[in-house]
Amino acid sequence: MVATTTRQQIVEAADKRFYERGFEATSFADIAAVVGLSRGNFYYHFKTKDEILEAVIAHRLSKTRAMLDAWEVEGKTPTDRIRSFINILIMNQAKIMAHGCPVGTLCNELAKLDHVAKNRAAELFTLFRNWLSRQFRDIGHDTGADEFAMHILMRSQGVAALATAFRDEAFVRREVEDMCQWLTAQQPTSSPK
Amino acid sequence: MVATTTRQQIVEAADKRFYERGFEATSFADIAAVVGLSRGNFYYHFKTKDEILEAVIAHRLSKTRAMLDAWEVEGKTPTDRIRSFINILIMNQAKIMAHGCPVGTLCNELAKLDHVAKNRAAELFTLFRNWLSRQFRDIGHDTGADEFAMHILMRSQGVAALATAFRDEAFVRREVEDMCQWLTAQQPTSSPK
DNA sequence: GTCTATACGAAGATAGAC
DNA sequence: GTCTATCTTCGTATAGAC
């Protein structure tokens, strides 16, 4: 068994609260209460709020890499793997309807605050972007793979945003279905040039 | 000339700050400083922050209605009018890259705060949705017009989100072009059934 | 490594003078 | 309708005891 350090607990609690409530709206007392720490002790682990944010982003980057690696192993074909990505919208539907996409909403908030960590948070997008790009290359798209990656990323962001505003499950299902159809249509023709 | 009331000035300053910095991150002092008011006097006009938010949303709804009405007059065909909508992504590119979509980011923030006004803010989306839906009906889509409206709304949200994160003008142009092509492809066949 | 106590400023909000 | 003064709460941050 892995002993969960206090630091880890703080990062996980902060991660959750930042996602559910937002970075600005989350206070130290808020996080400390979840972990069961006094506010004073908090500063032993993190000196400033920005330090916690950096730790949370690093934690999310690490979790995301692990998830992408898992999809790499599970999916038989690149197309299957991309479907894993699209399906997050279904898997996390309830959370997305309540709090939006964790990546998109964090990037938006940090952009507004013009926060030093805004580009660091965007690395989360880059992780997905590069992974998707590689899948499209593996399908056979020697050119345009990155454009395809951005397109599918864009769609998932759009669906998440409207899912939060309208909380319409049928809409989410429909758009996921449409994304999968689009994906199928992107298979390069097997006929020779 | 229209005498700008202090109340109007407050609403417009709050509107701008809420968009550029976010609702939570904007303080009374912040808005008061822009208008040139003391904090104390502020409360003569608005009792709570939520009251300002409601006034800002009402103001945005009114501005949006005026914009949609203008597009209605300017655009010769429904397709032209929908293009006006798509083109906001180009027109407001710089602002979107810095602060995201005003509607999407507000809805996201209020959803996280589980704020009483979150559904009120979503009415801004509904305005666009219904307007787009009507355009698609006018094109000739007796069924599915709302689905088309949601699809185009979804795409514009997705583009805005990634524009903020990556600040890539080429990406925005490419996706706008792709949306316009999609739109053209949605013209119902003129051939009889 | 964890606690209590405390400093400090910012923010929301109120009372009352002008 | 605008101001100053004031209150309270909260959030960030520090010092120092256990």
Side-chain angles (χ1 to χ4, degrees):
Chain A
M1 145 199 167
V2 180
T4 309
T5 67
T6 303
R7 193 192 150 89
Q8 272 179 309
Q9 282 182 280
I10 291 175
V11 171
E12 269 156 38
D15 186 358
K16 192 160 180 281
R17 295 298 288 174
F18 287 176
Y19 173 44
E20 291 175 356
R21 289 275 298 176
F23 173 68
E24 274 276 313
T26 300
S27 71
F28 280 28
D30 212 356
I31 303 167
V34 173
V35 182
L37 274 180
S38 72
R39 271 186 301 160
N41 186 24
F42 205 95
Y43 287 83
Y44 172 77
H45 300 281
F46 294 97
K47 296 286 165 262
T48 67
K49 205 177 176 183
D50 289 357
E51 259 183 51
I52 305 177
L53 177 60
E54 167 53 33
V56 165
I57 295 174
H59 182 236
R60 288 194 189 180
L61 283 166
S62 148
K63 278 194 303 183
T64 303
R65 280 191 202 97
M67 184 174 70
L68 295 175
D69 286 349
W71 288 347
E72 196 81 42
V73 174
E74 290 162 19
K76 282 185 198 123
T77 67
T79 306
D80 279 339
R81 290 175 203 134
I82 297 170
R83 280 200 199 96
S84 297
F85 171 78
I86 296 171
N87 269 313
I88 326 179
L89 288 167
I90 302 288
M91 303 288 284
N92 296 348
Q93 198 171 59
K95 283 189 177 183
I96 291 171
M97 281 184 181
H99 316 108
C101 164
V103 183
T105 54
L106 180 65
C107 284
N108 269 329
E109 187 178 358
L110 297 183
K112 274 188 205 286
L113 296 173
D114 202 17
H115 195 283
V116 283
K118 71 175 179 181
N119 290 323
R120 181 82 170 126
E123 283 179 36
L124 284 158
F125 269 136
T126 305
L127 231 47
F128 284 105
R129 176 183 184 167
N130 292 345
W131 185 87
L132 285 166
S133 196
R134 188 151 39 78
Q135 305 309 321
F136 279 108
R137 266 198 304 278
D138 287 352
I139 288 177
H141 291 281
D142 296 328
T143 60
D146 185 57
E147 281 76 2
F148 285 129
M150 284 294 277
H151 183 79
I152 210 96
L153 209 52
M154 174 278 284
R155 282 204 186 198
S156 76
Q157 282 301 300
V159 173
L162 293 193
T164 310
F166 290 114
R167 297 187 292 281
D168 179 344
E169 292 188 25
F171 159 75
V172 175
R173 278 196 304 273
R174 196 199 317 138
E175 288 293 344
V176 164
E177 181 57 34
D178 201 57
M179 281 167 82
C180 287
Q181 278 185 14
W182 173 87
L183 178 60
T184 307
Q186 302 317 313
Q187 309 288 346
T189 58
S190 49
S191 58
K193 77 159 183 321
Chain B
M1 144 202 167
V2 180
T4 309
T5 67
T6 303
R7 193 192 150 91
Q8 271 178 309
Q9 282 183 282
I10 291 174
V11 172
E12 268 156 41
D15 185 0
K16 191 159 181 281
R17 295 298 288 173
F18 286 176
Y19 172 43
E20 291 175 355
R21 289 275 299 174
F23 173 68
E24 275 275 311
T26 300
S27 70
F28 279 28
D30 212 356
I31 303 167
V34 174
V35 183
L37 274 180
S38 72
R39 269 188 302 157
N41 186 25
F42 205 95
Y43 287 83
Y44 173 78
H45 300 280
F46 293 98
K47 296 285 166 261
T48 68
K49 205 177 176 183
D50 290 356
E51 259 183 53
I52 306 177
L53 178 60
E54 166 54 33
V56 166
I57 295 174
H59 182 236
R60 287 194 191 181
L61 284 166
S62 148
K63 276 194 302 182
T64 303
R65 280 192 202 97
M67 184 173 68
L68 295 175
D69 286 348
W71 288 347
E72 196 82 41
V73 175
E74 290 162 19
K76 281 187 200 124
T77 68
T79 306
D80 278 341
R81 290 175 204 135
I82 297 170
R83 280 200 200 96
S84 296
F85 171 78
I86 296 171
N87 268 315
I88 326 178
L89 289 167
I90 303 288
M91 302 287 284
N92 297 347
Q93 198 170 60
K95 283 190 176 182
I96 290 171
M97 282 185 180
H99 316 109
C101 164
V103 183
T105 53
L106 181 65
C107 283
N108 269 329
E109 187 178 359
L110 297 184
K112 275 189 204 287
L113 297 172
D114 202 17
H115 195 284
V116 282
K118 73 175 176 179
N119 290 323
R120 180 84 170 126
E123 284 179 37
L124 285 158
F125 269 137
T126 305
L127 231 47
F128 284 106
R129 177 183 184 168
N130 292 345
W131 184 87
L132 285 166
S133 197
R134 188 150 40 78
Q135 306 308 322
F136 279 109
R137 266 198 305 279
D138 288 351
I139 288 178
H141 291 281
D142 296 327
T143 61
D146 185 58
E147 281 77 2
F148 284 128
M150 285 293 277
H151 183 79
I152 210 98
L153 209 52
M154 174 280 284
R155 283 204 186 198
S156 77
Q157 282 301 299
V159 173
L162 292 193
T164 310
F166 290 114
R167 296 187 292 281
D168 179 345
E169 291 188 26
F171 159 75
V172 175
R173 277 197 304 271
R174 195 199 319 136
E175 288 294 343
V176 163
E177 181 56 34
D178 201 57
M179 281 168 82
C180 288
Q181 277 185 16
W182 173 88
L183 178 61
T184 306
Q186 302 317 312
Q187 308 287 349
T189 58
S190 49
S191 57
K193 77 160 181 313

